[in-house]
Amino acid sequence: MTYRAPARDLAFTLDIVGCPSRLGQAFPDLDADTVTAVLEAAGALADNALAPLNRIGDREGARYENGRVTAAPGFDQAYQAFAAGGWNGVAADPAHGGQGLPKALELAVFEMFHAANMAFSLCPMLTQAAIEALAMNGTDRQKRLVLPKLISGEWTGAMNLTEPQAGSDLAAVSTRADPDGAGGYRLTGQKVFITWGDHDMAENICHLVLARLPDAPPGVKGISLFLAAKRLIDDEGRAGALNDLRPGSIEHKMGINASPTCVMLYEGAQAELVGNLNEGLAHMFVMMNAARLQVGMQGVGIAERAFQQSLVFAQERRQGRAALSTDYPATLYDHPDVRRMLMLMKAKIEAARGICLTAAVLSDLASHSDDEGQRAAAAARRDLLIPIAKAWSTDVGVEVSSLGVQIHGGMGFIEETGAAQHYRDARIAPIYEGTNGIQALDLIGRKIAMEGGEVLKTLTAEILATAQTLSRSPALQPLGAGLIQGVAALDAAADWLLANRGLASMAGATPFLQLAGDVVGGWVLGLQALAAEGQAAPWLQAKAPLARFYAAHVLSHAPGLAQAVMAGAQDLEAVPAEAL
């Protein structure tokens, strides 16, 4: 169950994607020493407080009894240490008690928390989303009384969207909000799959809930967003009597067993409106976009955890003769196929990490740049990358953790080694915060069409320029060639999608997202390899062979993926369900 927080690798990737260099104007006090100090402090918490609880949490789980949820053993103390460190407020507004650092640095910090203990980190991750939603759309009262408590970690946040009949289709939300005659509302209904909807680690839980007024228009246009706290909040910001909401049960799941997934019952619960009536879905998307980028980083974190454990196991376990060693028995690491798997794991982790942190830097520029044109361009590219960051990175989490089980062999299928837990935990991430299929539809339906396709064209032109630079380096020429081929495939597939809408394009959405992630990931690895040229440190010298490996084993699939995009709808209607 080995884990070492990769502060060094995170600092390197942050530097490559522009934190702090591109953010100096918005964050004048930010420098490399600050980045390193924050990452090392977060890494210490991840290593010493969170990682040791990962296996305990999986085995013991959260518990539901007498209408309340108790966190897994040790989680309360770990949460108090988390809150005392100020980790909820890394990027929050100093006006409300935050530290005012970039979102990119916050996201890097959370990779380590996700890797150390994914089930634990879901709680503060959702609090982060609540902070963003209230900071943007909350009332003055909510910002004054609630935001500081969320930022300090005294209270936590939860997101309440899904209902038994309304999963991804939020138009079907039926939870009712009745005006109470005193400026507030009473919520009645049931929400399901509510992560950390109840627990005993904090004094209060602030639920952001989608509901509709009795006279609201049907569909998504009639949904509003409400704040309903577990304990009622008085005008001094104190948590008082219990509200009329409660968990009805918690789910028994495949993984993340220490994260209580609640059925929440609203039985006339007192609530406040957040933002404008009937604009709740737009307000909630502030939370969802923040959560989607965090979930992408969850994929990176769980992949890093699985990789580290697999690497140690492969170096220690000896089995048979190996082509890469004269020792007998040889370590697993010296068997070519095991080393292939480990290199693929490492290359994809670094690519996914780079994609997520690139999107985070763009988010910072979109929010804080003094240049209006830069803000708009950064926001557009961020919006293009978020579905890729969420979906591609969580698919990497599943792939890498599955390879981790494979490297362990039969031992990986045994729970005691811990390899299976990483795979079980990782498997939820492609499903929640918008399934990866939904991310793919968003990418082809909205994002590549932005500005007539120019947002994507600008990105691929930048990737192509990097590819041409790579091609001039003998050590990196294979990656340059792979990226040139990948960009050609991506541009051709995007042009086809823009010209062919409806079923034809929808059927090709998922292979297109994979293609986009493969190409952008290769670009990130290329930038890293260029920055590492001439460096003496072994871990930097490894950047070039990893990049070449990625070109051979990932980018080589680009033409086939483009073909799958353009032929995706063929025969979908030819085989009825009863014939399968």
Side-chain angles (χ1 to χ4, degrees):
M1 300 295 283
T2 303
Y3 178 67
R4 173 192 57 81
R8 179 198 67 187
D9 294 353
L10 283 161
F12 178 76
T13 305
L14 281 169
D15 184 60
I16 295 301
V17 302
C19 179
S21 60
R22 297 180 69 190
L23 303 178
Q25 185 183 49
F27 302 92
D29 296 330
L30 184 71
D31 57 22
D33 289 342
T34 302
V35 169
T36 298
V38 171
L39 292 175
E40 288 180 349
L45 179 68
D47 288 350
N48 300 325
L50 303 185
L53 298 175
N54 195 46
R55 180 65 177 151
I56 297 169
D58 183 59
R59 186 175 63 246
E60 300 293 333
R63 297 185 180 181
Y64 174 83
E65 192 173 21
N66 298 323
R68 291 300 169 200
V69 176
T70 302
F75 273 47
D76 186 8
Q77 294 84 349
Y79 182 78
Q80 302 316 312
F82 172 91
W87 295 112
N88 260 347
V90 170
D93 190 339
H96 303 297
Q99 300 172 45
L101 292 168
K103 291 295 295 182
L105 183 53
E106 178 184 79
L107 194 66
V109 162
F110 267 79
E111 184 203 308
M112 295 183 279
F113 298 157
H114 294 318
N117 196 319
M118 181 174 166
F120 174 93
S121 69
L122 278 163
C123 182
M125 185 194 91
L126 289 168
T127 303
Q128 295 287 333
I131 289 169
E132 291 208 16
L134 292 180
M136 183 170 291
N137 298 303
T139 64
D140 289 342
R141 180 181 187 277
Q142 291 159 2
K143 292 177 180 178
R144 177 172 55 87
L145 301 180
V146 179
L147 262 184
K149 300 287 184 136
L150 294 173
I151 290 169
S152 71
E154 293 175 71
W155 298 350
T156 66
M159 187 161 57
N160 291 238
L161 290 76
T162 307
E163 299 178 6
Q165 80 293 342
S168 299
D169 181 13
L170 293 176
V173 162
S174 63
T175 296
R176 193 175 73 249
D178 295 301
D180 65 5
Y185 297 85
R186 294 280 184 166
L187 302 184
T188 304
Q190 181 185 104
K191 297 289 183 176
V192 298
F193 301 155
I194 308 307
T195 301
W196 285 96
D198 193 60
H199 59 83
D200 60 346
M201 300 193 307
E203 177 189 38
N204 208 0
I205 304 171
C206 297
H207 293 270
L208 290 177
V209 187
L210 287 183
R212 61 176 74 247
L213 270 65
D215 60 351
V220 296
K221 293 182 179 180
I223 297 174
S224 299
L225 181 62
F226 299 89
L227 168 64
K230 176 179 177 177
R231 293 187 177 275
L232 298 174
I233 303 167
D234 69 17
D235 290 337
E236 300 300 321
R238 293 184 295 252
L242 288 169
N243 202 351
D244 293 317
L245 60 91
R246 60 186 175 88
S249 62
I250 60 174
E251 305 293 351
H252 302 281
K253 309 186 296 292
M254 175 180 175
I256 53 169
N257 292 317
S259 171
T261 302
C262 300
V263 174
M264 293 301 301
L265 305 177
Y266 290 85
E267 300 167 321
Q270 295 184 42
E272 306 172 20
L273 180 68
V274 177
N276 300 319
L277 280 173
N278 301 328
E279 295 181 17
L281 195 58
H283 300 330
M284 182 63 85
F285 265 104
V286 175
M287 293 184 74
M288 291 183 70
N289 270 333
R292 284 171 177 175
L293 195 49
Q294 279 275 9
V295 169
M297 210 52 159
Q298 273 189 345
V300 180
I302 200 71
E304 174 71 29
R305 182 75 183 265
F307 167 74
Q308 287 191 19
Q309 180 171 331
S310 300
L311 179 60
V312 170
F313 184 82
Q315 291 172 304
E316 293 177 348
R317 174 78 166 168
R318 291 184 175 272
Q319 195 85 69
R321 299 190 182 278
L324 292 168
S325 172
T326 58
D327 292 344
Y328 179 80
T331 65
L332 290 182
Y333 185 74
D334 287 325
H335 289 268
D337 194 54
V338 172
R339 194 173 297 188
R340 175 195 65 81
M341 288 187 282
L342 286 164
M343 288 186 69
L344 183 62
M345 293 162 84
K346 180 67 172 176
K348 285 202 167 185
I349 288 166
E350 292 197 357
R353 178 182 289 138
I355 292 171
C356 291
L357 292 179
T358 296
V361 167
L362 291 167
S363 184
D364 284 316
L365 289 171
S367 299
H368 298 288
S369 176
D370 291 336
D371 184 291
E372 184 176 349
Q374 186 181 55
R375 286 199 307 273
R381 184 171 290 187
R382 174 204 63 198
D383 291 347
L384 176 69
L385 289 181
I386 279 181
I388 300 170
K390 192 276 179 183
W392 196 83
S393 301
T394 55
D395 283 344
V396 164
V398 173
E399 179 184 3
V400 167
S401 57
S402 178
L403 288 172
V405 174
Q406 189 72 19
I407 288 170
H408 281 75
M411 301 287 285
F413 206 67
I414 305 301
E415 286 289 349
E416 282 75 8
T417 65
Q421 182 191 344
H422 305 322
Y423 181 69
R424 290 187 288 102
D425 287 352
R427 193 58 191 85
I428 184 59
I431 297 172
Y432 58 22
E433 302 307 335
T435 67
N436 286 359
I438 289 174
Q439 303 303 316
L441 291 173
D442 178 47
L443 179 63
I444 67 136
R446 298 184 184 90
K447 303 305 172 57
I448 67 170
M450 290 188 297
E451 299 177 19
E454 285 304 308
V455 176
L456 178 60
K457 292 288 187 185
T458 301
L459 175 61
T460 55
E462 196 171 328
I463 296 172
L464 188 59
T466 301
Q468 290 164 348
T469 301
L470 291 163
S471 296
R472 293 192 287 271
S473 168
L476 300 175
Q477 188 278 332
L479 179 59
L483 277 175
I484 290 169
Q485 176 181 257
V487 166
L490 183 60
D491 280 340
D495 289 342
W496 187 89
L497 288 170
L498 289 170
N500 294 270
R501 310 308 274 172
L503 174 62
S505 62
M506 294 168 71
T510 290
F512 180 79
L513 189 146
Q514 182 182 342
L515 172 59
D518 288 354
V519 172
V520 178
W523 177 48
V524 169
L525 292 180
L527 294 173
Q528 290 190 11
L530 287 170
E533 277 194 305
Q535 299 296 317
W539 71 278
L540 290 172
Q541 291 181 344
K543 299 294 183 184
L546 272 176
R548 294 193 299 268
F549 181 91
Y550 186 93
H553 290 261
V554 179
L555 288 176
S556 58
H557 298 294
L561 285 169
Q563 183 178 359
V565 171
M566 292 182 273
Q570 291 181 8
D571 294 322
L572 283 185
E573 296 178 286
V575 182
E578 58 269 20
L580 292 174

